[in-house]
């Protein structure tokens, strides 16, 4: 494994950081959050047109840059530092890989070039809060998480004119502004129920989209109501529902791991910036005639946060590398990244003193990002538990566990 960045990766990181420093200042960020879309369209145009971020990990045949997901993860580390509100995560990290993996040749040719150029944004609509389950981050995704019928969620039925969807999905990341929705829905009734993905235009008839109030305003979410909405099946409509459903679940699981690696890098970027802001503050804040950063207790506390951030960065970089080489380490890296961000943000608020609790300071935005991501993609303890179960970490063989017969059951493989 070569851990060095390439010249292209360094260029992307440097250019993106300079752009965000100019176009995503704290006042710009707050102004963007108050818009109906929840992000600055001009910033998105710059990210897409100037840097090509939406198409960074898409093949050149569809107008992308043909880079690996590692490059996208490193770019998202910079957007995480600035808490840049944009449709990048929903479009490039969640929706576009599913289109690439499951779409027909015609669907890919029609949609992916528009996504790569930034003209079209997309969102994955999962009845929620079940996004982490759908992506197989906190458990297997073979259950009934998509709901449908009496279980709630979204139901699909085939008619003579095509597919129709009805139901509701909440906590859809950027669902209120996306031009294209990838909707997970149950089909086949209760006896032969299967989960498939459907394409729904953002302005489809019968679709009602309402922006919700989210803990983390930098990740706007929406509630979708589908009232007999016409939809197009993602992939071949061959009638082999079982095979199609298996392919959907496998694709969601694969996208979940790469998304977790990208989100881990994003969390590390945010944690690094939160720590950086705190260091800047304790150097200039004086108490008892000296900077509070000179007190040993403050030094020890920030040193602990620094170690956490650096360890999370190593895990995130490895997960981004592993995603390209057939290994899965995204969930564990995301858990470590979210914990580092939570620690950096919480200690930052406390060391800022009274101003850290105010709306005017930006410390609370990093704290909300940590907990908001955990609500969407976690929680941390379930990310770790599922990774341990997948690795059979706590299973023992039949011959082990002797001497535990009294009052304890044996743990067997």
């Amino acid at each position: 494994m070569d851990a060095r960045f390439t010249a292209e990766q360094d260029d992307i990181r440097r250019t993106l950081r300079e752009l965000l420093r100019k176009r995503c200042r704290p006042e710009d960020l707050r102004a963007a959050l108050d818009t109906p879309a929840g992000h600055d369209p001009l910033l998105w145009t710059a990210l897409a047109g100037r840097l090509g971020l939406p198409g960074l990990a898409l093949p050149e045949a569809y107008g992308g840059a043909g880079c690996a997901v590692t490059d996208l993860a490193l770019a998202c580390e910079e957007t995480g530092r600035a808490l840049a509100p944009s449709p990048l995560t929903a479009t490039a990290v969640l929706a576009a890989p599913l289109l690439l993996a499951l779409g027909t040749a015609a669907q890919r040719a029609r949609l992916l070039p528009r996504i790569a150029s930034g003209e079209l944004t997309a969102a994955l609509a999962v009845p929620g809060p079940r996004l982490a389950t759908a992506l197989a981050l906190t458990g297997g995704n073979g259950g009934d998480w998509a709901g449908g019928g009496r279980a709630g969620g979204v139901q699909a039925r085939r008619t003579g004119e095509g597919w129709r969807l009805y139901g509701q999905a909440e906590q859809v990341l950027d669902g209120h502004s996306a031009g294209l929705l990838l909707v997970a829905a149950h089909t086949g009734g209760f006896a032969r129920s299967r989960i498939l993905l459907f394409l729904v235009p953002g302005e489809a008839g019968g679709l009602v989209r309402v922006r919700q109030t989210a803990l983390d305003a930098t990740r706007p979410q929406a509630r979708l109501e589908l009232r007999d909405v016409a939809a197009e099946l993602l992939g071949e409509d061959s009638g082999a529902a079982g095979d199609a459903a298996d392919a959907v679940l496998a694709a969601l699981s694969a996208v979940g791991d790469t998304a977790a690696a990208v989100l881990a890098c994003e969390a590390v970027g945010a944690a690094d910036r939160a720590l950086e802001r705190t260091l800047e503050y304790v150097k200039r804040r004086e108490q008892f005639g000296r900077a509070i950063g000179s007190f040993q207790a403050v030094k020890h506390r920030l040193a602990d946060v620094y170690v956490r951030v650096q360890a999370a960065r190593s895990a995130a970089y490895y997960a981004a590398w592993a995603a390209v080489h057939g290994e899965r380490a995204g969930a564990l890296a995301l858990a470590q990244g979210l914990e580092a961000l939570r620690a950096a943000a919480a200690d930052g608020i406390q060391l800022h003193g009274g101003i850290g609790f105010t709306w005017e300071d930006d410390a609370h935005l990093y704290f909300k990002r940590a907990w908001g991501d955990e609500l969407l993609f976690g929680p941390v303890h379930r990310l770790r538990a599922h990774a341990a179960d997948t690795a059979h970490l706590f299973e023992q063989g039949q011959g082990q566990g002797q001497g535990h017969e009294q009052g304890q059951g044996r743990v067997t493989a």
Side-chain angles (χ1 to χ4, degrees), residues 158-183:
R158 191 197 296 267
T159 68
E161 299 176 353
W163 289 94
R164 313 291 294 191
L165 305 182
Y166 61 93
Q168 180 172 300
E170 297 182 345
Q171 297 180 338
V172 178
L173 194 62
D174 287 306
H176 61 295
S177 61
L180 176 69
L181 300 171
L182 276 67
V183 182

Side-chain angles (χ1 to χ4, degrees), residues 87 121 243 359 363:
T121 59
D243 294 341
W359 181 260

Side-chain angles (χ1 to χ4, degrees), residues 121-408:
T121 59
L124 174 62
V126 171
R130 295 175 182 171
L131 182 58
T133 303
L135 297 175
L137 294 177
T138 56
N141 64 355
D144 60 352
W145 50 265
R150 291 172 294 176
V154 182
Q155 184 77 18
R157 61 184 176 88
R158 191 197 296 267
T159 68
E161 299 176 353
W163 289 94
R164 313 291 294 191
L165 305 182
Y166 61 93
Q168 180 172 300
E170 297 182 345
Q171 297 180 338
V172 178
L173 194 62
D174 287 306
H176 61 295
S177 61
L180 176 69
L181 300 171
L182 276 67
V183 182
H186 261 286
T187 181
F190 294 104
R192 301 174 58 189
S193 181
R194 288 175 175 65
I195 298 172
L196 299 175
L197 289 177
F198 296 86
L199 302 175
V200 176
E203 302 302 324
L207 174 64
V208 179
R209 306 193 286 177
V210 180
R211 182 177 174 182
Q212 296 177 296
T213 299
L215 173 63
D216 178 15
T218 65
R219 288 210 196 279
Q221 301 171 27
R223 181 181 74 252
L224 308 182
E225 297 178 7
L226 299 105
R227 304 170 180 173
D228 199 32
V229 175
E232 176 187 356
L233 180 67
L234 178 61
E236 296 288 349
D237 196 351
S238 61
D243 294 341
D246 291 341
V248 167
L249 296 181
L252 284 168
S253 178
V255 169
D257 183 73
T258 57
V262 173
L263 290 164
C265 286
E266 193 179 65
V268 165
D272 187 59
R273 179 54 187 154
L275 175 59
E276 189 178 275
R277 292 182 73 259
T278 305
L279 287 171
E280 293 170 355
Y281 182 79
V282 299
K283 288 178 182 179
R284 66 174 185 269
R285 167 73 175 178
E286 292 189 358
Q287 190 73 28
F288 305 112
R290 54 191 288 196
I292 63 173
S294 65
F295 294 121
Q296 190 175 37
V298 175
K299 290 180 179 180
H300 286 178
R301 194 161 183 173
L302 291 176
D304 288 342
V305 174
Y306 175 79
V307 170
R308 284 194 178 206
V309 173
Q310 293 305 316
R313 175 175 278 118
S314 296
Y317 285 176
Y318 175 78
W321 175 87
V324 182
H325 293 82
E327 299 180 28
R328 293 198 173 193
L332 281 176
L334 178 58
Q336 195 160 351
L338 291 178
E339 283 194 328
L341 176 54
R342 188 198 307 166
D347 282 4
I349 288 175
Q350 191 162 26
L351 291 175
H352 271 74
I355 194 174
F357 289 86
T358 64
W359 181 260
E360 288 74 15
D361 193 82
D362 292 335
H364 69 94
L365 296 176
Y366 290 88
F367 188 78
K368 290 175 179 177
R369 169 59 68 88
W371 284 103
D373 273 9
E374 189 161 349
L375 289 173
L376 274 174
F377 304 105
V380 164
H381 70 273
R382 291 188 61 190
L383 288 168
R384 285 205 167 102
H386 180 56
D389 290 342
T390 303
H392 308 290
L393 191 60
F394 297 113
E395 294 185 5
Q396 299 178 9
Q398 292 267 359
Q400 299 180 8
Q402 301 294 335
H404 292 274
E405 292 85 357
Q406 298 297 326
Q408 298 184 31

Side-chain angles (χ1 to χ4, degrees), residues 24-63:
C24 196
R25 298 167 299 177
E27 57 270 26
D28 300 323
L29 170 61
R30 291 171 181 267
L33 299 183
D34 292 333
T35 63
H39 66 268
D40 181 5
L42 295 179
L43 175 61
W44 175 244
T45 299
L47 294 176
R50 179 176 171 184
L51 299 179
L53 291 192
L56 197 60
L58 289 177
E60 294 181 9
Y62 300 112

